[in-house]
Amino acid sequence: MTRKQAVEFLKKHPAKLGRSLGFTLLTDDLHNGWIVDMVTGKDDETLQAHRGSYKTTCVSIALALIMILFPNLTVLFLRKTDPDVKEVVEQVRKILLSPTVRVLVWVIWGVELQLTVSNALEISTNLATGPRGTSQLVAQGVGGSLTGKHFDRVFTDDIVNLQDRTSKAERDRTKAIYQELQNIKN
């Protein structure tokens, strides 16, 4: 496989990659398009689909692919609470460290993939060569501070929960945080 073929595979067939990693219910018709849009899209988008439709799985794959294909971009991943983001960060970590992805990184970049930052809320790899100190992937709950932070891409997932449904104050707070995301995009 050539570098160009590996890049094309990741950009055009991410659902196939996902299935090879054990996410066997991802489909080419639906999920592949979602992931491609998440990785290569330029506009703000909202994806609404039923519970159990593998939206979060698609986000996890997309986050890993952005880190590989565009390593100097910084990405913020936001969920309702800090504990909520940890499972997604762990899933991204597992995707990056999978033998399949490591081989693809070797073909594309000619280096063995290493995690230079790896904790419950951040991941960065040796592929990133940009001058900024921000990790490639930063995850946090909506209650965390966004002041002074800037990211190239912002992903939200399940930022509304039961408290938003029962409390107008919580709904208003979540809306304000969501609107603030426009100010942190590079």
Side-chain angles (χ1 to χ4, degrees):
M1 177 180 280
T2 68
R3 180 183 196 278
K4 182 178 179 182
Q5 289 170 324
V7 169
E8 288 300 306
F9 173 72
L10 292 179
K11 284 185 173 180
K12 293 185 177 178
H13 306 285
K16 187 179 284 188
L17 170 69
R19 288 191 298 273
S20 77
L21 298 174
F23 304 110
T24 57
L25 297 178
L26 296 180
T27 65
D28 289 334
D29 294 336
L30 181 64
H31 302 105
N32 200 74
W34 288 356
I35 301 167
V36 167
D37 284 346
M38 290 176 199
V39 173
T40 63
K42 302 294 183 212
D43 298 321
D44 291 352
E45 291 189 36
T46 299
L47 174 61
Q48 292 181 320
H50 66 83
R51 183 177 300 282
S53 62
Y54 299 96
K55 297 178 301 292
T56 301
T57 299
C58 291
V59 168
S60 297
I61 293 169
L63 292 172
L65 293 183
I66 291 167
M67 293 175 70
I68 294 164
L69 295 169
F70 311 105
N72 289 323
L73 294 183
T74 57
V75 180
L76 173 65
F77 176 71
L78 214 60
R79 274 186 132 179
K80 188 63 172 181
T81 67
D82 283 349
D84 293 340
V85 301
K86 292 177 181 178
E87 66 183 89
V88 174
V89 172
E90 182 59 26
Q91 192 166 42
V92 172
R93 180 181 297 101
K94 287 180 178 181
I95 291 167
L96 290 170
L97 294 177
S98 71
T100 302
V101 168
R102 293 171 74 87
V103 167
L104 289 165
V105 167
W106 179 264
V107 170
I108 294 169
W109 295 108
V111 298
E112 184 176 331
L113 182 68
Q114 296 175 359
L115 303 184
T116 56
V117 174
S118 179
N119 61 54
L121 301 176
E122 293 182 50
I123 301 176
S124 214
T125 71
N126 60 323
L127 303 177
T129 59
R132 292 188 261 169
T134 305
S135 292
Q136 286 174 275
L137 174 63
V138 175
Q140 69 180 53
V142 296
S145 174
L146 297 173
T147 304
K149 295 182 179 178
H150 299 282
F151 296 92
D152 300 303
R153 303 265 186 98
V154 177
F155 283 76
T156 62
D157 183 38
D158 294 336
I159 62 170
V160 174
N161 67 9
L162 181 61
Q163 289 134 326
D164 292 278
R165 291 183 205 120
T166 60
S167 166
K168 181 177 181 340
E170 185 65 19
R171 281 192 302 278
D172 290 344
R173 188 176 83 75
T174 301
K175 285 181 207 174
I177 291 164
Y178 187 78
Q179 291 168 344
E180 181 64 19
L181 296 178
Q182 294 300 323
N183 297 325
I184 66 169
K185 284 192 318 186
N186 285 332

